[in-house]
Amino acid sequence: MVYAKRFDGRKFDELRKIEAEVGIIPNADGSARFKIGKTEAIVGVYGPKEMHPKFLQNPRKGTLRCKYDMISFSVNDRARPGPSRRSQELGLVIASALEPVCLLNDFPKLIVDVFIEIPQADAGTRCAAICAASMALADAGIPMKDLVAAVAVGKIGDKICLDINKEEEDYDGPGGATDIPIAYSPVENKLTLLQLDGKIKGEDLTKAVEMGIKGAKKIYEIQKIALKKKYKVDEILGKKI
Amino acid sequence: MNKLIVASREVAVPGDLIAEGMNFVAGKNTYRKDEKIYSNRLGLVDVRGSVIKVIPLSGRYMPQKEDLIIGEVKEVGFNSWQVDIGAPFTANLYMSEGTTTYIRKDEDLSRYFNVGDKLIGRIISCTSTGSLQITCKGPGLKKIKGGLIIKINPNKVPRAIGKKGSMITMIKELTNTEIIVGQNGWVWINGDAMDILKAKKAIELIDKKGHVKGLTDAIKNMLEKDSRIKPVK
């Protein structure tokens, strides 16, 4: 059987339903929630603050540190809580996807801490995490050249699909499944993250990246609207303005 | 081809295209890429003539020289105090900058400032490498006794003070309190308990909705309405 129609009935270049929100954690300097389909990421940003342990301080520029964590009830089989090999790697991957846009030269010896929690996972958690983290960083007032939008593209069977879900990720029909997470900065017009898990031809990869960039641009607009919504005020003391 | 894309007083997010063309100058919190000017912080766009800048709406306090600050003593040393001022680094208040009285040799410095004491100070020097010196000697600088300290977003401090102190003077007069706003976002209110609460309400409103136009009038209305209600004795 060839993969002709997507499991959830979407078009091949259609994103899942997106919800984005900023300023959800009052105690954090910046925070955001990003939900795409069933995948959800909650991010809190703290800092810039003094970095400890001291020997890790960089006297030339600030440090960006991301901690990625899946809550134990986020997947069907209970995820073992605490840091794992996978979550440590993802923390570093997400930090390196965000660092190219963050202007940390004004914060020598300081650190910006980004805490990412995944309450519900349905593939593409690192992409949801990057989207939420870049919104939370902007909310925290960290100078940034641009926001970063991320989306996972996949080659399922012989079809290239945008924003794949868990069902598609686990597809084991002819052709198999290939997962390509992409993070993109529209102003810089640069990819800040490109990973590949599976097999794909060179020409198909170009097509997949192009499709991913198109999807990321749509997400980027949603991120911007969510950030601006926080500062939209209709009334002061019951009086409309 | 000179075009303003985001109007003045509107919210811009990082990466927002604010203006196009070489007739504009990229000011604070913006950057130029080829012919275009982009924002690099979340804030309000401010256009003065041809200079475009972004006034940030969020972010922690970054100390600057000559800033008036309110802080809390965290540690008493042999020749200095360590003061928390809400900045990434703790500030150092040297013995000779703490008080005008003569401090004898081997004297216990906690006689002047003890742990937990609050003070109004001024930043003498700060470097990017984390050295932060403050003074408590000068007009208006003192140890705080009584009153209430509230913490607001340091980016809202200019709004809380207003043009030439218009906002803060109004709140002071209408609530009959003494208010000092530190650049670090710590606000000290002193006066009668009921008056303090009234002033606190006004300042918290500025913190929450400081980016909205016509806030001064709204606060004036609120305080005048409140002053009609007399506290129960």
Side-chain angles (χ1 to χ4, degrees):
Chain A
M1 196 195 87
V2 204
Y3 192 69
K5 204 177 165 228
R6 291 181 81 167
F7 289 125
D8 52 5
R10 270 184 294 157
K11 283 180 217 148
F12 285 104
D13 60 346
E14 195 180 335
L15 292 165
R16 289 177 282 178
K17 198 172 166 269
I18 298 172
E19 281 173 37
E21 205 181 342
V22 166
I24 54 161
I25 306 169
N27 280 354
D29 291 298
S31 57
R33 184 178 72 93
F34 187 87
K35 191 175 180 187
I36 179 158
K38 285 182 195 160
T39 304
E40 188 171 14
I42 291 177
V43 175
V45 172
Y46 297 79
K49 57 185 183 180
E50 200 173 359
M51 189 181 195
H52 288 291
K54 267 196 163 162
F55 67 87
L56 288 176
Q57 284 179 352
N58 184 349
R60 296 189 188 281
K61 62 180 276 194
T63 317
L64 186 74
R65 181 166 63 189
C66 296
K67 184 184 158 279
Y68 169 98
D69 182 43
M70 271 171 113
I71 301 177
S72 46
F73 53 75
S74 61
V75 278
N76 284 342
D77 307 317
R78 177 176 180 272
R80 196 171 179 272
S84 63
R85 189 206 61 79
R86 178 176 175 270
S87 67
Q88 279 182 33
E89 183 189 313
L90 282 182
L92 291 171
V93 161
I94 291 164
S96 67
L98 294 168
E99 232 177 49
V101 295
C102 290
L103 304 162
L104 297 169
N105 291 328
D106 290 343
F107 309 127
K109 289 191 178 180
L110 303 182
I111 184 167
V112 179
D113 252 329
V114 180
F115 296 105
I116 302 157
E117 295 290 343
I118 308 290
Q120 190 163 267
D122 184 35
T125 55
R126 76 194 67 185
C127 296
I130 290 168
C131 292
S134 77
M135 280 156 68
L137 282 166
D139 184 35
I142 308 292
M144 295 163 90
K145 276 194 254 175
D146 196 8
L147 297 170
V148 182
V151 70
V153 198
K155 186 172 149 264
I156 315 298
D158 57 352
K159 289 283 193 316
I160 295 166
C161 308
L162 183 66
D163 188 21
I164 55 170
N165 61 16
K166 186 74 187 155
E167 214 178 344
E168 286 173 325
E169 205 177 66
D170 295 340
Y171 176 79
D172 59 355
T178 307
D179 178 21
I180 310 156
I182 285 168
Y184 176 69
S185 153
V187 173
E188 297 278 290
N189 195 17
K190 270 179 191 160
L191 293 176
T192 62
L193 169 79
L194 178 64
Q195 288 184 306
L196 198 152
D197 176 21
K199 285 178 197 161
I200 194 164
K201 275 188 208 149
E203 60 218 59
D204 281 348
L205 181 64
T206 321
K207 268 188 221 162
V209 170
E210 270 167 17
M211 189 189 261
I213 287 173
K214 259 187 205 165
K217 277 180 181 164
K218 280 179 198 160
I219 294 174
Y220 180 73
E221 294 305 320
I222 293 168
Q223 285 175 308
K224 275 187 167 181
I225 291 166
L227 275 166
K228 285 179 183 172
K229 206 177 163 191
K230 186 186 172 186
Y231 292 99
K232 226 176 190 174
V233 178
D234 305 320
E235 49 91 39
I236 321 176
L237 301 164
K239 232 175 147 185
K240 281 207 171 154
I241 47 166
Chain B
M1 203 195 67
N2 290 296
K3 211 167 77 188
L4 202 64
I5 286 147
V6 179
S8 203
R9 304 295 301 168
E10 255 179 53
V11 179
V13 301
D16 247 356
L17 178 61
I18 302 176
E20 267 176 42
M22 298 304 283
N23 280 3
F24 289 111
V25 182
K28 223 174 176 188
N29 296 323
T30 61
Y31 68 98
R32 177 180 283 285
K33 199 183 168 202
D34 304 327
E35 293 245 309
K36 292 166 180 165
I37 293 176
Y38 295 96
S39 163
N40 62 19
R41 265 183 92 165
L42 179 66
L44 293 177
V45 176
D46 187 51
V47 185
R48 294 268 162 90
S50 61
V51 181
I52 293 171
K53 64 173 182 177
V54 171
I55 304 163
L57 281 167
S58 60
R60 284 205 178 176
Y61 171 63
M62 285 291 153
Q64 261 168 10
K65 205 180 164 182
E66 299 286 301
D67 271 0
L68 183 86
I69 47 94
I70 293 173
E72 183 185 342
V73 178
K74 283 283 165 196
E75 211 177 298
V76 184
F78 284 109
N79 49 21
S80 68
W81 294 269
Q82 297 301 317
V83 185
D84 175 24
I85 60 167
F89 298 104
T90 51
N92 187 42
L93 176 62
Y94 192 67
M95 184 165 66
S96 59
E97 295 291 347
T99 169
T100 41
T101 47
Y102 177 71
I103 301 176
R104 276 179 288 111
K105 202 183 169 191
D106 297 335
E107 201 177 330
D108 186 3
L109 287 187
S110 62
R111 271 187 57 190
Y112 301 94
F113 290 105
N114 207 345
V115 175
D117 283 349
K118 316 284 194 296
L119 58 90
I120 302 166
R122 201 176 281 283
I123 293 174
I124 305 172
S125 73
C126 70
T127 61
S128 58
T129 45
S131 157
L132 192 52
Q133 300 287 335
I134 60 168
T135 181
C136 204
K137 269 177 9 187
L141 308 183
K142 59 182 179 184
K143 187 166 153 180
I144 290 174
K145 282 168 194 151
L148 178 77
I149 288 180
I150 58 170
K151 291 170 189 173
I152 64 168
N153 181 344
N155 299 290
K156 300 285 164 63
V157 166
R159 195 78 168 93
I161 294 170
K163 266 183 201 146
K164 290 182 184 168
S166 58
M167 180 77 93
I168 203 73
T169 322
M170 185 194 76
I171 299 175
K172 272 185 201 169
E173 277 170 5
L174 288 174
T175 58
N176 197 20
T177 49
E178 188 188 348
I179 304 174
I180 304 274
V181 185
Q183 291 295 322
N184 57 346
W186 295 30
V187 184
W188 177 57
I189 315 169
N190 197 13
D192 241 32
M194 287 303 283
D195 294 338
I196 289 180
L197 289 177
K198 229 194 291 175
K200 184 187 169 210
K201 210 171 138 194
I203 287 163
E204 276 172 352
L205 185 75
I206 300 170
D207 187 23
K208 220 171 147 193
K209 294 183 177 172
H211 57 288
V212 182
K213 261 187 177 176
L215 189 70
T216 319
D217 293 337
I219 286 176
K220 199 174 178 183
N221 281 342
M222 181 184 90
L223 291 175
E224 276 171 352
K225 220 197 265 169
D226 261 21
S227 61
R228 277 180 232 141
I229 308 161
K230 295 249 164 68
V232 185
K233 275 178 189 167

